[in-house]
Amino acid sequence: LVESGNLERLAAMRTGFEANLMPARVIGQDVSPYFRSLLLDRGRTSGVLSGMPVVSDRGLVGLVTATTSSAARTMLLVDRRAAVDAVVQRSRALGIVRGTGGASLEFSFLMRGADVKRGDVLLTSGVGGVYPKGLRIGVVEAVNAQKGALVHTARVAPSVDYGQLETAFAL
């Protein structure tokens, strides 16, 4: 952590949460076209349980989907099965972010009154009770607004670079 320059960001992030953060090292990744997940070196013995959100100093990583006594499998936010309620930081427009199975995310939102632009930051909305409110999800890269459509979509770049991820925290 010291070598990568992440120590200060991690310390600042830990003080911003009321919940206990359980640090874990990434010890493996599954990057098949069907599943996007990673393996953490902490499991049930350390208090990491299925259903816990996983974050990094950059933002939301995903959700713990399975555990053993010493390890936890985390479904990444870019996995096709992943979804999270989101809010645009600037305009407060609400929608749902879904994984695409690739490197990007898709944000679906109702066009009526929604203000979504390239460069907007998406945060977790806290709706649904799975993910805490205010976790950084990503940045809107492009908006696909089809004329007359009720629901529009936007391509989102995740805040977390999963290929460079070494440490994560279960909440």
Side-chain angles (χ1 to χ4, degrees):
L1 292 175
V2 174
E3 304 86 29
S4 64
N6 291 336
L7 191 58
E8 287 180 16
R9 282 197 314 272
L10 292 172
M13 183 191 82
R14 289 187 75 158
T15 60
F17 283 99
E18 294 175 11
N20 289 333
L21 295 175
M22 176 64 58
R25 292 206 182 276
V26 175
I27 56 174
Q29 284 201 16
D30 180 2
V31 290
S32 77
Y34 304 105
F35 303 105
R36 300 290 307 270
S37 64
L38 54 83
L39 194 61
L40 302 177
D41 71 348
R42 302 270 183 156
R44 288 189 304 269
T45 306
S46 299
V48 177
L49 304 172
S50 187
M52 291 178 110
V54 176
V55 298
S56 77
D57 61 315
R58 299 285 184 193
L60 182 60
V61 173
L63 188 70
V64 174
T65 55
T67 60
T68 65
S69 61
S70 61
R73 179 160 306 280
T74 300
M75 176 176 59
L76 298 177
L77 194 55
V78 291
D79 188 289
R80 290 183 177 152
R81 301 166 295 162
V84 59
D85 287 295
V87 61
V88 176
Q89 186 176 34
R90 176 186 57 80
S91 69
R92 310 315 288 172
L94 295 170
I96 297 175
V97 171
R98 290 185 176 86
T100 63
S104 65
L105 303 165
E106 182 180 82
F107 179 52
S108 300
F109 58 97
L110 293 175
M111 190 50 210
R112 185 178 190 148
D115 182 11
V116 180
K117 297 179 181 174
R118 185 176 188 273
D120 278 342
V121 174
L122 297 181
L123 306 173
T124 54
S125 68
V127 174
V130 176
Y131 299 100
K133 183 177 183 175
L135 298 174
R136 189 177 169 103
I137 295 171
V139 177
V140 174
E141 291 182 319
V143 177
N144 180 15
Q146 296 178 357
K147 194 170 186 172
L150 180 61
V151 177
H152 291 206
T153 61
R155 188 178 71 244
V156 177
S159 294
V160 175
D161 181 351
Y162 302 108
Q164 300 296 317
L165 192 60
E166 296 177 9
T167 304
F169 296 87
L171 294 177

